[in-house]
Structure formats: C-alpha cells, structure tokens
Amino acid sequence: MKAMTARQSILKPDGRLLNGAKSSMTDAALMEAVRWMLMSRIYDERATALQRQGLYGVFSPAAGQEASVVGSAMALDPARDWIVPQYRELIALVRHGYPLERLAAMGMGRITHATRIPEGVNVLPTQVALAAQLPHAVGLAWGLKLQKKDSVVMAYVGDGGSSEGDFHEALNLAGVRQAPVVFVLQNNQWAISTPRRMQSATSSFALRAAGYVTYRMSFHNTTDNPSLYEDPKQRDEASRRDPIDRVIKHLTRRGLWNDERDEQTRMSIRAEIDAALDKAASFPAVTPGQLFDDIYAELPERLRRQREELLGEGSKE
Amino acid sequence: MKAMTARQSILKPDGRLLNGAKSSMTDAALMEAVRWMLMSRIYDERATALQRQGLYGVFSPAAGQEASVVGSAMALDPARDWIVPQYRELIALVRHGYPLERLAAMGMGRITHATRIPEGVNVLPTQVALAAQLPHAVGLAWGLKLQKKDSVVMAYVGDGGSSEGDFHEALNLAGVRQAPVVFVLQNNQWAISTPRRMQSATSSFALRAAGYVTYRMSFHNTTDNPSLYEDPKQRDEASRRDPIDRVIKHLTRRGLWNDERDEQTRMSIRAEIDAALDKAASFPAVTPGQLFDDIYAELPERLRRQREELLGEGSKE
Amino acid sequence: MTQRNVLEAINNALDEEMSRDPNVMVLGLDVGKLGGVFRATSGLLEKHGAQRVVDTPLAEASIIGASLGLAISGMVPVAEIQFLGFTAQAFHQIGPQLARYRTRSRGRFHCQVTIRAPFGGGISSPEFHSDAVEAQFVQSPGIKVVMPSNPYDAKGLLIEAIRDPDPVLYCEPDRIYRLARMEVPDGAYTIPFGKAAVIREGADVTLVAWSAAVELCLLAAGRLADDGISVTVVDLRTLVPFDVETVVSAVARTGRCVVVHEAPLSGGFGAEIAATLASEAFYDLDAPIARVAAYDVPYPAAPLEAWYLPSVERVVAAARKTARQ
Amino acid sequence: MTQRNVLEAINNALDEEMSRDPNVMVLGLDVGKLGGVFRATSGLLEKHGAQRVVDTPLAEASIIGASLGLAISGMVPVAEIQFLGFTAQAFHQIGPQLARYRTRSRGRFHCQVTIRAPFGGGISSPEFHSDAVEAQFVQSPGIKVVMPSNPYDAKGLLIEAIRDPDPVLYCEPDRIYRLARMEVPDGAYTIPFGKAAVIREGADVTLVAWSAAVELCLLAAGRLADDGISVTVVDLRTLVPFDVETVVSAVARTGRCVVVHEAPLSGGFGAEIAATLASEAFYDLDAPIARVAAYDVPYPAAPLEAWYLPSVERVVAAARKTARQ
Ligand SMILES: Cc1ncc(C[n+]2csc(CCOP(=O)(O)OP(=O)(O)O)c2C)c(N)n1
Ligand SMILES: Cc1ncc(C[n+]2csc(CCOP(=O)(O)OP(=O)(O)O)c2C)c(N)n1
Ligand SMILES: [Mg+2]
Ligand SMILES: [Mg+2]
C-alpha cells in the first residue's frame, strides 16, 4: 500500500502552471476532463433547482470537487475497473457507464428496477453510512484478484468518513491482502459543519490515503444551511481556486479554449442533461408491492402474507 | 500526538548494552523493575499450574512481555495516573495498587464486591472485546483534563487489537482533543495463532502507537495449543532474548545481582504470592442473588420479580 | 410555562441541565455552531462554550466510548448520535460496554451517559435516518431505553435521563419534532422511568404505543369513537424499564389489545408486550392480541415509506377487528 | 453414514462445499493453521490452500464488509466470527449492509455470504463469548438467522446456508459441539430454511426452542413423562424465516405452550413466538404462554452462569404449571 503524500495541485488561480510543474494529461484528455467537470457543475445547478421546486430528493452537489472526481475517475477503464462511491461522485458514475437519466430518475424518486445499475456497469450502489463501503471495495478487489481478473477498484471517502473505524480496518486489510484497490480521500475541508481541524489532528489527510485537497463550494446537501457555520471568506477564497475556472483559464492561455467553445460546450451539456431529465421524468413510478421485491431471492411465507395484507388494503383505498 | 518509531531495545542477549546505548533508569528503578518482572513470571507459573488443577479460570500469561509491561507501568504515578489494561498487564495493575489477592481471587472465580478495584485505585476493569477500551481511555483522559487534573492515562493494546476500528477512532479523537493519553502497543508477534505479518502490512507497529516489540513466550491463554501454529524455532529464538534473563545478566555484569540475591528475591516473591493466594482462597464465594447486583443503581420491577423467582427456586433446592 | 414543541423542549432541557451542573456536556457530530442537523443543540455552544459543546470527529463508536470514559472521569456527557440508525456503528460500545460497565466493575464504576438520537420515518430521509431500531437495545441489560412522544414528556424524561446514574438511550421522534406546541414548564422537572401513561381511557380496546406512534393511536382513537368504539391509549414512555403493571391492568379492563409501533413487526418491542400479556393477562383477554407495525423489510426509499409505515387506517382497521372478535 | 458430533458435522459441511465449488472460501480469525479456536475449520487450510482459507486481521467489521465485496466479485465467502458476541463489532456491516444489499441495489447485486459464529453459555467462557444475541438480528430484514441444534441439522443447514444466494447468520451452539455423535450422511444434503421440526409429539404441552435449548427441552420432556405430562417439542431451526405454521399447529394441538431460550427474557425471540401465538392461535390456547429464558442481566462470570441460564428444572416447573392451569 502506498499513500501519495505530496499536494498535486499544479494550476494557479489564473490558470498558469506553477513554476516547474508539468501536466501529465494529453490535450484530448484535458478537453474531455473539462467537459465532465462542466457537466457536473451544470447538473448540480439543475438538480438543486429541481429540489427547490420539490421535484428532486435530497441532493449533494460536487461543486469545487470536480477536478478530484473527474481526474480520479478518468484513470479507470469502465470495462474492467470498478467504482465504489461515497456520494459526491455522480459524474464519475456517469463516465463509468451509469446512464445519467437513471441517476436523475432516482433523484426524482423513481427508484425501481428501471433505474438500477445496469448489468455490466461496474459500479456499486451509493450507500449512506459513511466509510462502510470501504471494506466492500477491499473484498471486491481481493475477489477479483483471486479470480485473476485484471481489475482495479476505486473507492471514495471524505475527510469526515475517514475518521470511521471502517476506514482503518479496510486499509489494513487491503495492505495484508495486497488487494488492487485505490482509496481516494476527498478532503473538502468539511463534514457537514465540522471543519477539517476538528476532524483530525493529522498534518495531512494524504497520510491516510491518496488525498485530494478540495473545497466544498456549496452546501453539504439541499437540507443544509452553511451560513450557520461557514465563514464567507473561506468560500470566497475557495472560489478563487475554483477547479473549473482554473482549467479553463489554463486552456484559454494555451489557445485551446475560447468564448465560443465555452458557449458551445455548455449548450451541448445542457441539451444532454435536458434529455436525461426528460427521459427521467417518464420512468415508471414506484408501486407499493415493490416494498417486497429484492428482499430475498424468494419471499418467505410471513412476508408473502404481509404483502397480501398491504396489497389487499391498497386496492381497497 | 507523537509515535515513538525507534526500537528501544538496548540489551543484548548476554546482558551487555548495545554499542553506544545507555540506560536512562537509575539502579534503584532497575532493581525494582526486575522484581516486578520476576513476580510476573512466577505468578504466570503459579496461575497456570492452578488452572491445570481446575482451581483457576482461563489465564493469559505475560511471559516474554514483562519488560514492556513493567517498564511502561513504572512511568506512572499510581496516585495521579490511570491504567486502562488489555489483559496481559496484571503486574502493572498490582504495581498501581490493585491488591494481588483480589486479582488472584477473581481468577479463582470469587468475583464479588470483595475483589473489585478498590476505591482510589486508578485502574479500569479488564474487558474482553479487543480495542474497545481505547476510546474509554481517551474519554477518561479528556475528562480529567477538562477538570484540570494533572493525570495521564496509559492504555494497552496488542498487535491484534490494533487492527480494530476502535483503535483508529480512539487515536484520532485523542489527537483532536489533545487528551493526555499514552497508547502502549505490545507487539508480541501473535494474535492467538495469527502472525504479525497477517495482521498488518505496516512496516512497523510503532507507526501506529508507542510500540514495544516483544514475543509471547507462552500459549495465548490456558485454552490454547501453540504447537498447532508456532514454529518451535521462533520460541527458541525468543527465549534467547528473554527480557528477564537479559536484565539479570546485565545486572550481574554490573555487580548488582548474584545467585544469592536471585534466590532471595525469588523466595520473597514466592512468599508474597503464596500469601496472596492463601488470602484469595478465603475470599467469599459468589452467590446467586448477586446476578442482580450492580445492573442498575436501582433494580427495576421486572428484574426484582426475576430475582425473587430465582431466589425462591434457589432456596427450594 | 412556555409553549414548546418537542425540539424546543429538548433544547430547553439540555440548556437547563448544563446551567445547573457544570459537568454536563454535549458532544456529537455538528452539535456546535450548526446546533445539530435538527437544531436541537442550537445556542448551547454560544452559551456554554466550546469545552462543553463539542463537535467530534465523525466516528460514532468513539463518541460513545469516549462518553463512557468522560463519565468515569466525573463528567456527565450527553452524546448525540446524528440518527439512531448510526448507533449500528457504535453498537459494540453501547450494549457490550456502556450498559455493562457497572456490572463488569461490580459497582466500582457506573456510566452516567445519555445518548440522544433522532429517528423515525415519514420525513423522506435517506437510508438509515429513519430506522426504528429501538428493540435492538432491549437485549442489552444495563441501559434504559426512553421513547418520548410529546413535548412535556420530552423535557421531563430527558432531564431524568441526564440525572440517571446509569446509561440511557433517549430516542427522539423526528417526525413530530415540530408537529405541535404544548405547555412545558420553564424550570427543571423529571418524569420517572418505568411509568407508562394512560393518556386516554375507553372501554373496548387498549392501544399500546410509544414515541411517534402514540400520535397515530390518538388519531385512530378519534375515528374509532365516531364508530362507537371507545379506546384506552397507553403511552409506554420507556421500553426499559417496561411498565408491565400499567399495561396489564389497562388491557385487563378492556379485554382487548392492539400494539402499534413504527419498527418492523418481527422482533419489535410489540412482541415483548404481546408475549407479556399472553402470560400475565391471559385470563382477561377476550380477543387475539393484534400488532400494527411496519413490514419486515428494510426501511424503503422515501417515495415508498407511506406504504411501509403503520397508518391511522391500519390502526383503525385492527382495532375494529379486535373489538368485534 | 458416519457418526459425527456437531463440530465434525460443520467441518465436514465446509469441506464438502469447498470441494464442490472452488469459489467457496473460509475467512476469519485463526481459521487457518489453528483450525479455529474450536477446530471447526481444522484441516481445511492443508486441503484447500491459503488462498481459500484465510486468517484475517483482527477486525470483525472488515471480515463481514470484505465478505460482502468478495461475494459481489463472485466468490462464496463463509466468514467466521470467533464468537457471536463479537458480531457487535461488525453490527453496522451485517444488518445495515449485508442484509440490505439486494434491496439497496434493487436486485442488481446480492450477497451469498454465510457468517458462522459459535455462542452460548455453560462452558465457563470469558465475557461476550456466551452472549445469545440472535434476536438482535431479527430486526434486520434481508438476513436469515439459522440455529441448528444437532449434528444432522448442523450439516444440512450449513450447506443450505452456503448455497443460499442471500446472507445467512449461522449460530453454532458451542456447549453441544462435542456433546454426542449421531449418524450424519457423508455426501451433501440440505435442509430447507423456515421449516421447524417437531421432534417429539405429546398431548399436553408444546415446548418451543432452538439451538442448545432444544437439548434442555428433550431432557425436560423425559422428566415430565415420568410425571404423566406428555409434551411436544418443536425445534425452530431458523428464526428468520420463522415457521409460524408449524408452531401454531403444534400449539393448537396441545393448547398449551412453553417457549425456552438461552437469551435474556425481554426482547428475546421467545417474545415473537408468544406474540404470534397470542394473535394466531388465540382461540386454541387453554393456558397462559410461559417463557423460560435467561434473566434480564448481562451474561455473568462463569461461576454464576448455572443460575443465569434456563435449567431443565425451570423448564420442567414451567411446563408443569402450564399443564395444570
Ligand atoms: C456513519 C454515518 N454517520 C453520520 C452520517 C451523517 N452524515 C452524512 S454526510 C456527513 C458528513 C460527511 O463528511 P465527509 O465524509 O467529509 O464527506 P463530504 O460530505 O464532505 O463530501 C455526515 C456526518 C452518515 N451518513 N453516516
Ligand atoms: C473484538 C474481539 N474479537 C476477538 C476476540 C477473541 N480474542 C481474544 S484474544 C485475541 C488475540 C489478541 O491478540 P493481541 O491483541 O495481539 O493480544 P495478545 O493476546 O497477543 O496479547 C482474540 C482474537 C476478542 N476478545 N475481541
Ligand atoms: Mg468532507
Ligand atoms: Mg499480540
């Protein structure tokens, strides 16, 4: 097991490379990355707006963290590798093959077989208990290795999540089994309202795992109100280092980006998101009987009777 | 939070100091330490023998680890500091004021108010779930600090126990709260039959906490059979480095120890242990009603009825 | 007297106890500046300071484990677990450690620790946030399990919990946090554990419930009255200790009983109530004991929860059937 | 056919399944060279190799969490938790993760994982080693809870568990590991879950039990027969799924029931059985339903356990009282 301990930031706020820094990405990869990052940002805005209208469930934006999400995900081959998400990695899942319209439909409460992870898409479902996904990722990687598959598993966790016992147990087991798993720790300075310095006295979260220092540039999720705990100056400071701005400025300096391209890219992304949202809205709605689907391969007798009770009742109403 | 990362071993098997090494202990402290170490070893033998005769419960010897147990405990002031044990630190508890006869009586199944930790003795009870005591130690240290007491808490854990999530959570919290707690990790190369290299890929457990590299020179506990998993060569090698032998050879070289002194010391220890065992055997036996003591400050109605049921029955028999 | 909702009653109880005893402290995730995700600890940091209102690292087991140690040092910790479902992360520190410490130390130590945890469905939360897992703590002797159902009880039971020398798991019904205000005295008062409240008396059927399910029973009672069925409603208030006497005598008077809870049916605390009645009130029973509960499936996604949870309709139907059997 | 005790039956089941399916693997603490602290996995490392018989680091949550991931990768893990009491350390990985994965993924993934865990009192173990906490998993829909009581069932239920596409918690009664041998077939066979066994039929009282408590009931049945009381003994075999039909019809035939378990009374699975009977067999009941269980206190130190656990005497007394009421 190796941990990367150096800060990997190489772009200044004005988009120039730091002295002596060199990007290891090709121009084509860079252009692809910008598009994913923009898509993430624009989807954040759309989902938040829909949530405010009551059309979307609790949503956790990725604003400010697009570079770490997209940069890490682009290292993977969707046909071969797996993603085990925390919950701010929606765009990584999309790149990995989880259709955006399914994710959107889930956000809209259409949580049925039609919105599940498609067969062949190597993604584990998002789960809510922080860090509990990490030992799953280790087991998955270990099992793939035992079966001689040439896969890597990328597992995400936040600065907050990395304080859980599961984090330590997972990393330790990965080390002993030499499991092909990469832990990506996104240190966005917050766990809801808890600042990084209250989370750990470690000098760097990168000592815990491959670390990205980012900043959560939005609320924790749509139920949150950061004005209660965030100093506006912190947000302003972070905005100056907005990862998307920096890359775009960088590309502009290099003649790879201009207003027209910007406009076009954003338009095509909006069209793609609109199409996904349109499709999402016409996904089948949930039905009460579904409560009893996917509990066991075969429904035990007691549950079969409960199901009858519910559906009998439901049909009377 | 600091971790000591250097091996602190300074005595060669023949009792000579390693080149350039210097002991920081006074001769008096060294002599005290030898006595505690010998007492630990001799008590191991007695308790094991009693267990084999069916007179003592499951027992976990400290053989091989006496230096780390005694050395760490002697850094504490019993009037001020606290010990939070794993389970091989019996002799540290004795030094800290827990009367040996009480510990012995507990081993003999006389687990009553008469054998509990005396008021004023700053020791938490041994508990069996590995590493679960570590967050207790942090809370205790944090609370003492909040109350402006000038105490330190010393918490023990094994190489095995340090793989538990509680270990990580406890250390992280201690760091954030700057709690006055010292974690002593005794790496004795085994967790029952699981060798150190299967426990962690870490290059050194000292990276996890203040670490002692020792060797468990006996069985795990009296239910264990190491011949199933231990290479006798490992034990032989460890015996060459027996901590007690080394200190005694060292003291002998320095003219502070000789056969007579050895004999006398052992005799006085045996007498002390005999006296404790004698007293222990006359401690009160358990009684059935005790089942319902110390559950709550006040026994709820349902439990009072259960108690009556039991005692009614018991008195009939 | 002030009109307070459940959340305000809790906040007020915490404030009063922190003002009374300088060793009382609050710790947990986001309890400081944010005042907790529901604002139950709002204002406490400003008033009582950062040593006594502490945002902890994100690690539930260490919140409980450290609270145990804090208690032994002489502090009186009130730990918040952000949602009851996340007590799973601390499970090994609750029943096996906190609850047993008095017994393990044969009375040398005890743990004056309160664990507060919001729970319950009906507010479209993500997974784990709604789980009604209170019954999982009933097989952990040594800890008390407290389930307030209204603002008055919420305050009195919380103050009792904080002052109780033994550990208490205090579960807050988040669905009714802001449902209604009622008169809640300003000073400190306590409600003893193990005393169920008969909050409505009737002749035909006894409904037994706790926490937010009490509200369901009261709504059902109104509808049943329109049908000519008169019901007793017993609010259990605490599962441990369990007030057998009040439940048995209430059921003896009506001869019929429906137990209502928001946890899944199988293995819920309703089973303990029905089993106790089948043993201790057997000769007074005129009809089968019914249970209305959530189904035996994992708590579902928000759009499905209305079908999953017991409804007023289901309570009414079960009571009608029981009354007529 | 070979004469096997419970431990040998388990060892044989593991060996057969590992021989049949190369993806079946065993992991846990000390399962390799040592063969487990009770030797249940003895010989498996030598026969099936270190890739498939794995000593893990000492961290129960990661044993279960990794098993979940291993299952998704296509392996069939059989995880050992050294003692059931230490499932507390993995509690958040069992009900909230393993049990829910099929539901969470809406059927895209499922977890073919077996958790084996010895438990039960009567052998003078240190704390946690004896805890009978099976009921704590009943409110975690998605996982099955299996409680064999004899060598034949132990093998058949374990093979069924390993082949079940869903997660199974398989609890091994360590007190009777070596109690007696019986004929256990050599080849593979399975016993379906959710089918209780009526292992003795009588007219007066039905005793319902599982795991090592079945042995108590059989001993009590013999003594009761001497008194002229003839009893039916039902071995539940699995708590989830719960075979309501067999229990209800057995109790309907005798009109009287005593439930026996080694877990504490309050909130034990006995409550679920009695509650179900009070609802579904009410009109067939002639006497109060009795429960004989451990007391509602933490599992005590070894010298006290004989008083804590249900005894043959207590079962006999309860059955006599029930028969005469
Ligand atoms: C075990 C657990 N405890 C508490 C929560 C509630 N919770 C949800 S998100 C969150 C903060 C997570 O912080 P971090 O891991 O840094 O991720 P970020 O939100 O910053 O991306 C908390 C406390 C949870 N989901 N799981
Ligand atoms: C949580 C937990 N899991 C498993 C056990 C069973 N067990 C008792 S001692 C032991 C090995 C401990 O190894 P280590 O921490 O290295 O301490 P040592 O015995 O070597 O001193 C195990 C697995 C336990 N007591 N607690
Ligand atoms: Mg964060
Ligand atoms: Mg060790």
Side-chain angles (χ1 to χ4, degrees), chain A residues 6-316:
Chain A
R7 283 213 184 196
Q8 300 283 336
S9 178
I10 55 169
L11 284 186
K12 296 192 211 169
D14 62 5
R16 278 183 304 185
L17 284 166
L18 285 177
N19 284 352
K22 241 180 40 192
S23 163
S24 59
M25 285 173 88
T26 63
D27 288 350
L30 217 45
M31 298 299 276
E32 187 194 333
V34 176
R35 194 174 190 282
W36 288 121
M37 288 166 71
L38 275 169
M39 192 163 182
S40 179
R41 184 71 59 92
I42 294 170
Y43 190 78
D44 273 4
E45 291 157 11
R46 294 298 300 276
T48 303
L50 287 169
Q51 194 279 337
R52 298 305 183 214
Q53 297 164 52
L55 299 172
Y56 206 101
V58 175
F59 179 77
S60 302
Q65 303 177 222
E66 292 91 348
S68 73
V69 174
V70 170
S72 56
M74 279 180 64
L76 300 177
D77 173 356
R80 182 194 63 190
D81 302 324
W82 285 75
I83 293 186
V84 180
Q86 180 157 293
Y87 49 69
R88 286 191 206 283
E89 301 81 17
L90 178 137
I91 209 67
L93 306 187
V94 174
R95 178 186 176 276
H96 218 71
Y98 200 155
L100 181 59
E101 63 263 25
R102 293 202 186 196
L103 290 160
M106 280 212 290
M108 295 172 174
R110 296 169 182 276
I111 300 164
T112 69
H113 285 166
T115 49
R116 74 182 182 187
I117 300 161
E119 207 60 50
V121 172
N122 295 336
V123 162
L124 294 195
T126 299
Q127 68 81 33
V128 168
L130 290 160
Q133 73 280 9
L134 303 180
H136 310 166
V138 177
L140 177 57
W142 175 9
L144 293 166
K145 183 179 165 195
L146 281 173
Q147 291 163 78
K148 313 242 178 317
K149 296 193 181 140
D150 183 30
S151 310
V152 160
V153 177
M154 190 169 278
Y156 291 87
V157 66
D159 46 332
S162 72
S163 292
E164 289 281 0
D166 277 354
F167 176 83
H168 170 66
E169 295 192 11
L171 265 68
N172 188 49
L173 182 64
V176 171
R177 302 315 315 173
Q178 294 290 308
V181 54
V182 179
F183 298 96
V184 178
L185 193 165
Q186 294 192 68
N187 170 12
N188 67 357
Q189 319 293 333
W190 294 106
I192 307 187
S193 75
T194 306
R196 177 244 178 279
R197 92 194 124 76
M198 306 280 280
Q199 199 58 250
S200 179
T202 186
S203 57
S204 165
F205 280 97
L207 294 170
R208 289 193 171 167
Y212 286 94
V213 180
T214 67
Y215 192 87
R216 193 193 79 202
M217 288 174 50
S218 183
F219 37 77
H220 167 66
N221 66 29
T222 45
T223 68
D224 183 35
N225 176 10
S227 72
L228 289 173
Y229 56 80
E230 188 184 31
D231 180 343
K233 277 192 223 137
Q234 291 176 284
R235 178 78 66 92
D236 291 347
E237 168 58 23
S239 297
R240 280 205 331 122
R241 303 185 48 83
D242 180 320
I244 299 185
D245 277 4
R246 277 191 285 159
V247 180
I248 287 182
K249 282 183 187 150
H250 172 74
L251 292 174
T252 306
R253 282 181 187 281
R254 293 183 45 208
L256 293 164
W257 200 267
N258 55 33
D259 286 356
E260 194 187 344
R261 175 139 215 157
D262 194 85
E263 186 61 19
Q264 270 172 6
T265 308
R266 286 175 199 263
M267 262 176 53
S268 93
I269 289 171
R270 285 207 183 89
E272 202 174 325
I273 291 177
D274 282 343
L277 290 171
D278 275 358
K279 274 200 217 160
S282 65
F283 269 63
V286 298
T287 52
Q290 204 188 309
L291 268 184
F292 293 89
D293 292 349
D294 307 315
I295 313 296
Y296 298 100
E298 225 180 295
L299 205 60
E301 182 54 25
R302 187 167 233 196
L303 278 154
R304 226 176 290 154
R305 282 173 59 185
Q306 292 184 2
R307 188 170 183 278
E308 272 164 31
E309 186 195 314
L310 169 70
L311 295 184
E313 231 187 25
S315 59
K316 263 182 272 152

Side-chain angles (χ1 to χ4, degrees), chain D residues 53-97:
Chain D
V53 182
V54 181
D55 280 337
T56 62
L58 209 169
E60 287 78 7
S62 71
I63 294 174
I64 305 301
S67 294
L68 188 162
L70 282 162
I72 288 177
S73 84
M75 301 302 291
V76 180
V78 182
E80 177 175 309
I81 296 293
Q82 204 155 58
F83 289 91
L84 185 66
F86 300 127
T87 56
Q89 264 69 8
F91 201 74
H92 60 291
Q93 285 289 350
I94 301 176
Q97 297 297 331

Side-chain angles (χ1 to χ4, degrees), chain C residues 91-92 96 100 104 127-128 131 136 139-141 264 266-268 271-272 274-276 278-279 282-283 287-289 291 296 325, chain D residues 91 96 100 104 127-128 131 136 139-141 264 266-268 271-272 274-276 278-279 282-283 287-289 291 296-297 325:
Chain C
F91 201 73
H92 59 292
R100 293 191 201 193
R104 178 180 300 138
E127 62 174 347
F128 305 124
D131 289 6
Q136 287 176 339
Q139 290 239 309
S140 301
S266 294
E272 183 56 45
T276 300
S279 165
F282 181 75
Y283 295 107
I289 302 170
R291 284 181 288 162
D296 288 331
Q325 248 167 343
Chain D
F91 201 74
R100 293 191 201 192
R104 178 181 298 138
E127 60 172 350
F128 305 125
D131 290 5
Q136 287 177 340
Q139 290 239 309
S140 300
S266 294
E272 184 55 44
T276 300
S279 165
F282 182 76
Y283 296 106
I289 302 170
R291 286 181 285 163
D296 289 330
V297 304
Q325 249 167 341

